[in-house]
């Protein structure tokens, strides 16, 4: 598998390298880190499938309601449709959120103008329960169409157990 935004995103340094290579690089980094402490560092044990394991997703939206990941060390949004590290349902939930924000004309936060509502969305997935928590980070305590937004989202994705509005002025 190959990620087209890996160099811009910076969320996974070795995603386009062979998995064995990435494990070796991580082992070398741990050896170097703990060498001054004279501690024995056991090799990192890889997983069967190194994709779709992330249980926390943070995405932001641009003025066209496209969602994406922040470019490394910036607040520039790098649009994507599927991240290799997210499970498919997480990306589907994010896609639905983008559609609903646009449908209800929810104002997205503009950092330059310091106006708008939605700053970003955080999604957490219970790895054992497969339940989801959706946290909408907003500059305001209410956003347009919020009741219908929540009802539609939960109806489309019954695994969503909680939707939280986090106020961040």
């Amino acid at each position: 598998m190959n990620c087209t935004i890996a160099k811009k995103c910076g969320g996974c340094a070795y995603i386009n390298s062979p998995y064995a290579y990435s494990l070796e690089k991580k082992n070398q980094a741990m050896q170097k880190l703990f060498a001054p402490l004279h501690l024995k560092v056991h090799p990192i044990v890889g997983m069967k499938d190194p994709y779709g394991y992330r249980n926390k997703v943070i995405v932001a939206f641009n003025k066209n309601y496209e969602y994406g990941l922040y470019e490394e060390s910036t607040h520039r949004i790098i649009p994507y449709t599927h991240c290799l590290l997210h499970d498919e349902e997480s990306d589907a939930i994010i896609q639905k959120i983008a559609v609903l924000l646009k449908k209800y004309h929810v104002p997205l936060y503009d950092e330059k103008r310091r106006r708008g509502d939605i700053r970003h969305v955080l999604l957490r997935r219970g790895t054992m329960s497969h339940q989801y928590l959706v946290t909408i980070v907003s500059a305001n305590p209410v956003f347009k169409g919020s009741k219908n937004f929540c009802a539609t989202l939960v109806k489309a994705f019954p695994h969503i157990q909680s939707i939280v509005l986090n106020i961040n002025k």
Side-chain angles (χ1 to χ4, degrees):
M1 291 190 208
N2 207 11
C3 178
T4 59
I5 65 168
K7 290 185 180 181
K8 291 181 182 177
C9 165
C12 39
Y14 303 110
I15 195 75
N16 290 335
S17 302
Y19 187 51
Y21 175 81
S22 70
L23 291 176
E24 181 55 36
K25 289 305 243 180
K26 292 171 186 175
N27 277 315
Q28 289 172 3
M30 291 299 103
Q31 294 288 343
K32 184 178 177 182
L33 179 68
F34 289 105
L37 301 174
H38 305 290
L39 296 173
K40 181 179 179 178
V41 178
H42 297 280
I44 295 172
V45 177
M47 55 180 122
K48 289 179 184 176
D49 182 10
Y51 302 104
Y53 66 86
R54 278 219 177 129
N55 65 343
K56 177 182 168 190
V57 176
I58 299 175
V59 297
F61 301 86
N62 65 22
K63 62 184 176 185
N64 299 320
Y65 294 92
E66 293 175 308
Y67 58 93
L69 305 168
Y70 286 121
E71 183 175 1
E72 188 173 21
S73 302
T74 74
H75 274 219
R76 281 191 298 268
I77 298 167
I78 307 299
Y80 79 99
T81 51
H82 176 65
C83 175
L84 296 174
L85 301 185
H86 301 169
D87 68 295
E88 289 182 25
E89 190 167 11
S90 291
D91 278 341
I93 291 170
I94 295 297
Q95 185 177 22
K96 183 69 170 181
I97 288 171
V99 167
L100 292 174
L101 290 173
K102 187 174 184 175
K103 177 181 178 180
Y104 294 114
H105 306 287
V106 179
L108 302 175
Y109 190 76
D110 182 332
E111 287 183 344
K112 291 177 185 174
R113 295 181 184 165
R114 296 182 177 259
R115 281 189 251 165
D117 291 339
I118 307 304
R119 290 178 172 269
H120 61 269
V121 171
L122 181 142
L123 185 66
R124 287 190 179 270
R125 174 178 53 96
T127 53
M128 300 300 282
S129 68
H130 300 289
Q131 296 176 337
Y132 288 84
L133 162 68
V134 176
T135 303
I136 300 164
V137 180
S138 175
N140 295 306
V142 176
F143 66 90
K144 190 175 179 182
S146 60
K147 287 183 183 180
N148 290 331
F149 173 95
C150 292
T152 304
L153 189 60
V154 171
K155 186 175 180 182
F157 296 96
H159 288 119
I160 295 175
Q161 294 298 302
S162 301
I163 300 176
V164 176
L165 184 64
N166 178 317
I167 311 305
N168 180 347
K169 292 187 180 239

